[in-house]
Amino acid sequence: MSNIQTNPVPRRNLELVLLFIALVVSIGANWMVGIANQNQIDQKFIAQGAVLAGCALVVHVVLRIWAKYADPFILPVVVTLNGLGLAMIHRVDNAINTDAASSQLMYTGVAMSAAVITLWAIRDHRILRRGTYIFLAASVLLLLLPLIPGVGMEINGSRIWIAVGPFTFQPGEIAKITLALFFAGYLSSNRDLILLAGRKIGPLQFPRFRDMGPMLIAWAVSIGVLVFQRDLGSSVLFFGLFMAMIYVATGRISWIVIGLGLVAVAGVFAVNFMNHVQLRVDAWINAFDPEIYNRQYGSSRQIVQGLFGLGTGGMTGTGLGEGSPRLVPLANSDMIVAVLGEELGLIGISAIIMLFVILVSRGIRAALGTRDGFGKLLATGLSFTLALQCFVVIGGVTRLIPLTGLTTPFMSAGGSALLSNWIIVALLLLVSHNARRPVTTSGPLTADEALRVKEFNQRSALDATPEPEPVRTNSSKDKTTQAAASSSKNNSGSKPATEGGKA
């Protein structure tokens, strides 16, 4: 029997065309940086272009083989962001005489290789649901590693790093992925329990207190990261991730209200009792105060110089290679958005923001299209992680909120963040592939499909409500009972007539 299938188009050729455009934009930006540097093209330009193009084409070929129905827009958007980040880091190197671009190029190759391994090893995102509590244990271990004496190390006041030979690594970047996997597995399996009604206050239906355990645990983990690791950005990211995923799982505004209440409590505690948070808030509110601008620790110089850079760029920017990134502290990592705004202007930075909007929206689209609850929650959580990072970083640079120390995804210098973000991209591609691939409605099942059907039937058997068993009766007894009932009916029917005659 032939299989009856829907016929979605793989659209890998469209991805290849968009990938070519992404590489032209990325390599062109790097070429302009080289031209601005004493009108010469150095070897970095050739190496960066070759590595970026080669790795991007490898990922494209892997998608053609193992995930040919994946979203065709995600990979070109990410390659564009990564390429522009490499070009700007190269630009900052020329200004301050460093060589961070070479390290970032190596990290790019490693991160894209990790994405390829993820696509090859997993194939179907639903198998990750089996390791829900393994991911929880891995998250705890990753968050504790920087606190272990001799393993963790403190940089710029935050204890979020570990030493791996000559390199440093930030385990919290991988922890955001394992936490998203745990939250997706737990919430998809326990959604019915969490949805049990509690007290209703006005239009809001609040959960029972006993069902608030997961949110309280997530809140405690975020507070622990803030207190012990002194990392405001990761603390905000972890709790924001859980709030977004539990809202998607339940659809109840009451969870957001409870979460915001917990955030307010934590904020009041941090501002009043934690020195590093006090310094960040003070530098945010009083950024132009000369005393705060010139102090050694917790200075607002980073914020002020970033704002001046954005103002200098104006609408169209000064042009690549024509700005002054040397005036901005941490120009190639925390403040790379300010440098981009100076040299590309409002138009350029708006285009970059739109690329992030496209990336997040395609992740949400994959979540809407997939047919399993775990995949919906996973894709939503990972997409929200990227969106929240962009909001926090750009909000900090523009002085909308305090600086938190988070870096711009795919663009800032740093290997840990780049590695984790490319793994997130690979998972989003897998979810979108499973959402768009043809659905077999007839014909023999493959081994993977048979396993999924068996797991679904087992879950359905556990969730099903048992129906009452029918009562078996003896046929001869039924006949006797019917006869007796008929005789009684006849007798009762003649008695009122007799009484009526007497009357």
Side-chain angles (χ1 to χ4, degrees):
M1 181 184 297
S2 61
N3 294 345
I4 302 174
Q5 298 179 340
T6 58
N7 294 309
V9 181
R11 303 175 76 182
R12 298 272 68 81
N13 291 334
L14 173 62
E15 180 185 78
L16 184 59
V17 172
L18 295 176
L19 199 57
F20 174 77
I21 297 173
L23 290 172
V24 169
V25 171
S26 303
I27 297 174
N30 214 355
W31 176 77
M32 293 177 66
V33 168
I35 290 296
N37 183 32
Q38 299 177 356
N39 295 322
Q40 61 181 1
I41 300 296
D42 54 13
Q43 293 182 350
K44 290 183 181 179
F45 166 75
I46 301 175
Q48 289 178 5
V51 171
L52 184 65
C55 291
L57 290 175
V58 168
V59 177
H60 171 74
V61 171
V62 167
L63 289 175
R64 282 186 177 270
I65 299 173
W66 291 315
K68 64 180 181 179
Y69 294 101
D71 191 287
F73 299 99
I74 292 178
L75 179 61
V77 167
V78 174
V79 169
T80 304
L81 292 171
N82 199 343
L84 289 175
L86 280 169
M88 188 50 63
I89 294 170
H90 184 193
R91 163 72 185 101
V92 176
D93 284 348
N94 292 339
I96 61 177
N97 296 321
T98 57
D99 193 22
S102 298
S103 299
Q104 190 71 3
L105 183 64
M106 179 189 67
Y107 296 146
T108 298
V110 172
M112 296 178 82
S113 300
V116 169
I117 293 172
T118 302
L119 292 168
W120 168 78
I122 297 176
R123 309 284 180 91
D124 192 337
H125 67 273
R126 287 170 286 191
I127 65 174
L128 296 172
R129 185 175 182 176
R130 303 173 189 172
T132 296
Y133 292 98
I134 296 176
F135 292 124
L136 173 61
S139 302
V140 173
L141 178 61
L142 289 168
L143 293 176
L144 290 178
L145 277 176
L147 303 177
I148 300 175
V151 177
M153 56 188 304
E154 184 174 325
I155 299 178
N156 295 330
S158 297
R159 195 175 180 85
I160 57 177
W161 304 88
I162 61 172
V164 182
F167 303 100
T168 57
F169 183 73
Q170 191 174 343
E173 291 290 341
I174 305 299
K176 68 185 180 187
I177 301 176
T178 55
L179 282 173
L181 290 167
F182 165 69
F183 291 154
Y186 178 83
L187 293 174
S188 61
S189 300
N190 297 276
R191 179 177 178 272
D192 294 337
L193 178 64
I194 297 172
L195 280 174
L196 290 176
R199 184 183 298 275
K200 187 173 184 179
I201 301 177
L204 299 179
Q205 184 73 53
F206 285 86
R208 300 179 303 174
F209 183 76
R210 71 183 71 174
D211 298 328
M212 290 175 56
M215 175 164 279
L216 293 175
I217 292 174
W219 181 71
V221 170
S222 300
I223 293 296
V225 170
L226 183 62
V227 172
F228 297 106
Q229 295 187 353
R230 300 167 61 87
D231 185 8
L232 178 60
S234 297
S235 177
V236 172
L237 184 63
F238 293 155
F239 191 65
L241 169 65
F242 181 77
M243 282 182 59
M245 295 182 71
I246 198 168
Y247 173 71
V248 172
T250 61
R252 287 184 177 172
I253 299 294
S254 57
W255 285 104
I256 302 297
V257 174
I258 295 170
L260 292 176
L262 294 174
V263 169
V265 172
V268 171
F269 167 78
V271 170
N272 287 282
F273 298 101
M274 304 192 67
N275 185 54
H276 66 285
V277 177
Q278 291 174 350
L279 292 175
R280 287 184 181 273
V281 173
D282 196 18
W284 169 53
I285 296 175
N286 305 300
F288 293 94
D289 187 330
E291 181 181 350
I292 295 175
Y293 180 87
N294 293 312
R295 67 187 177 189
Q296 184 176 2
Y297 299 105
S299 168
S300 63
R301 182 170 180 265
Q302 205 174 8
I303 299 174
V304 173
Q305 291 298 332
L307 291 173
F308 281 140
L310 292 173
T312 303
M315 186 64 70
T316 57
T318 61
L320 281 173
E322 300 298 331
S324 303
R326 65 184 181 279
L327 300 177
V328 183
L330 300 175
N332 61 5
S333 56
D334 294 18
M335 300 298 290
I336 197 170
V337 170
V339 178
L340 287 164
E342 180 184 7
E343 301 200 351
L344 300 181
L346 179 62
I347 295 175
I349 204 69
S350 298
I352 291 173
I353 292 174
M354 287 306 301
L355 288 175
F356 280 113
V357 170
I358 293 172
L359 176 59
V360 172
S361 65
R362 301 309 293 187
I364 298 296
R365 182 185 177 95
L368 292 173
T370 190
R371 294 173 285 274
D372 64 296
F374 174 77
K376 289 181 184 296
L377 289 172
L378 179 60
T380 302
L382 295 176
S383 301
F384 180 80
T385 297
L386 296 174
L388 183 59
Q389 281 184 263
C390 293
F391 171 77
V392 170
V393 171
I394 297 174
V397 171
T398 56
R399 205 183 163 209
L400 177 65
I401 58 176
L403 284 174
T404 61
L406 288 179
T407 55
T408 310
F410 305 106
M411 305 192 80
S412 297
S416 305
L418 191 61
L419 174 64
S420 66
N421 289 326
W422 268 103
I423 294 175
I424 287 175
V425 167
L427 293 174
L428 289 177
L429 288 169
L430 286 173
V431 174
S432 66
H433 166 68
N434 284 285
R436 297 184 65 250
R437 69 180 179 178
V439 180
T440 301
T441 58
S442 178
L445 299 177
T446 65
D448 291 340
E449 292 171 338
L451 179 61
R452 292 197 296 270
V453 170
K454 182 179 178 181
E455 292 178 350
F456 175 79
N457 291 336
Q458 289 174 348
R459 291 196 300 271
S460 299
L462 292 175
D463 296 338
T465 302
E467 299 180 357
E469 296 183 0
V471 180
R472 298 182 179 179
T473 58
N474 191 310
S475 59
S476 60
K477 277 188 176 183
D478 291 345
K479 292 179 180 179
T480 305
T481 304
Q482 291 175 2
S486 177
S487 175
S488 173
K489 183 177 181 181
N490 292 335
N491 292 337
S492 63
S494 60
K495 186 174 182 179
T498 306
E499 291 176 353
K502 285 183 180 182

